Amino acid sequence: MILSLTHDAAVAELRRRGVTVPRATALYRAFFQNGSFDFSNLSEFAGEAGEAARCSALVARPSGQIVDQREAGGVLKFVTALEDGARIESVLIPGPGRDTLCISSQVGCRRACRFCATGQMGWVRDLRVDEMVGQAFFARFDLGRPVKNVVFMGMGEPLDNLDAVLQAIAVLTDQRGLNIARGRITLSTAGQAEGLRRLASRHPGNLGLAVSLNTASDALRNELMPINREFPLSRLKTELKAYPLGPKGVFFIEYVLLAGVNDSPQAARQVVEFLEGLPVRINLIAYNPGGSAPFATPTPAVVRRFRDELALGGLFVRLRPARGGDLQAACGQLGGGRV
Ligand code: SF4
C-alpha cells in the first residue's frame, strides 16, 4: 500500500487505520529511507511492540521480487517478477557519482515500434504505481544502488499510463521518502501527442521530456513506429511547440540509427527541418543488433556523417554509447523478462 502513496496520503491512510500521526510519519521515513519494515526500534514505538508489529503488517513488503540480474560494464539489468507472474525489466546505468534507473511503466507495449523488443511482445497490462516505485525501492535496498536519476524509458509507453506514472513520480520525489529531485526525472515518449497535451495541462514542473523520433519522414515513421499513424509528425510538433518547458528547458530527442534505413544525410536534413524552432538536444544512438528485428548497426563513419550533418544544421548532438547492448538492455531492447 505504502509504495503508491506520498507521505501526506500515507499518513492520512494510516490514521484511518488507527496509527498516530508521529508514528505514521516515522514509519514512512524508515520505510523509504532505510528500506525497513521493522519499526520496533523507532523511538515513536518504544514500549509498543504490538503496535510496531501491527504497523509492519499494514505496510507489508512490496509485492514482487527480483528474480534475475546481470551486470556488464557497470550496467545492471534486473528482472522483477510481479505478483501475477508478469515480469518486468529495469536497468541501472552508472554515471559520475550517480546511478540512473530506467523504469518500466507497462508489461509489454501496444505501440509496436519495429526495432523494439518490448513492442514485439504486445501490450499485457499497465503497471500500478507501487510496481513502478518498487523498481526504485528494489534498486536501492535489494541491490544497494542509490538512485539519483530516473528515466521512464523501460518497457512501455509512459504516456499511455500517464495517471499512474504521475502518481509514481509524486511518490519518488517526496522529500520524506525516496527524495529524488523532479529535475532528475525524465519521461520518454514515442510521440504520444494526446498524452503530451494532458501532461502539459497537469503542470509537469521541471520534468525532463525525451521524444523517440528516429525519422522525420511520416512515411518511414509510419513503418517504424506505428504510433505515427495516430499522431503524425505535424501533430507531434504542434504539441511540442505548445508544451510549457521551463525557461532553461529543452526536449531530448532520441534517434536510433538503423543502417540503411534512417541514417542518410538526407534523413539528417529532414530532422533539422522538423526540429526547427524547438529547443532540443539530440541523443544519437547506433542500433544494437539483437532479438528478431531485421535491422543492423551503421558503421562508425556513417554515424559520424549523420552527426555532422545535424550539427551543420545548428543542432546540439551527443553521440551516446549504446550501453548495455550485450545485455539486451539498451534502448528499445528490453522485453521478454529474461536476463
Ligand atoms: S520503443 Fe517504447 S513505445 Fe515503442 S514499442 Fe518499445 S516500449 Fe513501446
Side-chain angles (χ1 to χ4, degrees):
M1 161 281 264
I2 201 166
L3 273 178
S4 58
L5 298 176
T6 59
H7 170 270
D8 291 351
V11 168
E13 179 60 30
L14 288 164
R15 277 193 71 186
R16 270 194 291 280
R17 300 185 189 206
V19 182
T20 65
V21 172
R23 285 179 182 156
T25 294
L27 75 81
Y28 190 89
R29 223 180 261 273
F31 178 82
F32 278 106
Q33 296 182 355
N34 308 322
S36 172
F37 309 92
D38 177 4
F39 308 122
S40 58
N41 56 354
L42 298 178
S43 60
E44 288 79 1
F45 289 90
E48 297 275 1
E51 180 64 357
R54 186 178 80 87
C55 287
S56 294
L58 279 179
V59 168
R61 209 192 127 72
S63 60
Q65 60 176 353
I66 295 177
V67 291
D68 225 340
Q69 56 180 291
R70 198 173 131 206
E71 185 158 7
V75 175
L76 175 70
K77 180 164 97 167
F78 62 94
V79 177
T80 306
L82 304 173
E83 59 192 343
D84 63 355
R87 292 181 169 214
I88 52 167
E89 300 177 357
S90 319
V91 184
L92 274 160
I93 304 152
R98 54 178 190 249
D99 281 351
T100 295
L101 176 66
C102 179
I103 283 184
S104 290
S105 56
Q106 297 178 307
V107 182
C109 180
R110 65 169 63 87
R111 296 303 177 178
C113 299
R114 281 189 57 215
F115 48 82
C116 171
T118 303
Q120 309 313 307
M121 289 172 63
W123 177 82
V124 179
R125 71 173 174 87
D126 291 343
L127 289 185
R128 301 189 312 253
V129 175
D130 61 299
E131 292 168 331
M132 287 184 269
V133 176
Q135 295 169 63
F137 189 90
F138 290 142
R140 184 151 174 177
F141 298 114
D142 287 18
L143 302 175
R145 302 276 289 260
V147 172
K148 296 274 193 245
N149 294 310
V150 167
V151 291
F152 282 83
M153 208 180 272
M155 299 165 73
E157 162 57 65
L159 299 190
D160 282 344
N161 188 17
L162 184 58
D163 291 336
V165 165
L166 289 178
Q167 175 63 14
I169 290 170
V171 178
L172 291 167
T173 56
D174 195 306
Q175 291 181 347
R176 288 151 298 187
L178 289 168
N179 193 23
I180 298 169
R182 275 182 80 82
R184 294 192 178 279
I185 295 186
T186 299
L187 288 181
S188 175
T189 177
Q192 215 277 45
E194 192 55 46
L196 279 173
R197 177 172 289 200
R198 286 188 60 218
L199 182 61
S201 71
R202 300 274 292 268
H203 304 292
N206 52 354
L207 291 177
L209 194 60
V211 178
S212 180
L213 184 64
N214 305 316
T215 173
S217 150
D218 270 317
L220 179 57
R221 207 161 189 270
N222 287 344
E223 290 304 310
L224 291 177
M225 305 179 73
I227 193 172
N228 199 71
R229 297 176 202 158
E230 187 178 350
F231 303 114
L233 287 161
S234 56
R235 170 81 196 276
L236 176 59
K237 184 154 185 180
T238 299
E239 298 304 339
L240 291 176
K241 282 173 92 170
Y243 191 83
L245 281 173
K248 289 190 200 153
V250 292
F251 298 108
F252 296 95
I253 301 293
E254 308 286 326
Y255 198 104
V256 179
L257 282 162
L258 310 166
V261 176
N262 65 352
D263 60 351
S264 67
Q266 188 205 357
R269 287 191 289 274
Q270 279 180 316
V271 171
V272 171
E273 198 178 318
F274 174 71
L275 293 176
E276 202 196 332
L278 291 172
V280 295
R281 289 192 184 163
I282 301 190
N283 290 323
L284 210 52
I285 307 150
Y287 176 70
N288 281 286
S292 55
F295 299 110
T297 312
T299 63
V302 168
V303 172
R304 282 195 300 273
R305 184 182 66 184
F306 194 90
R307 177 199 62 191
D308 292 347
E309 197 68 41
L310 293 180
L312 210 59
L315 293 172
F316 181 93
V317 192
R318 279 192 305 185
L319 207 47
R320 300 288 288 238
R323 304 182 74 170
D326 48 352
L327 292 182
Q328 294 288 290
C331 179
Q333 295 197 331
L334 296 185
R338 308 177 301 279
V339 175

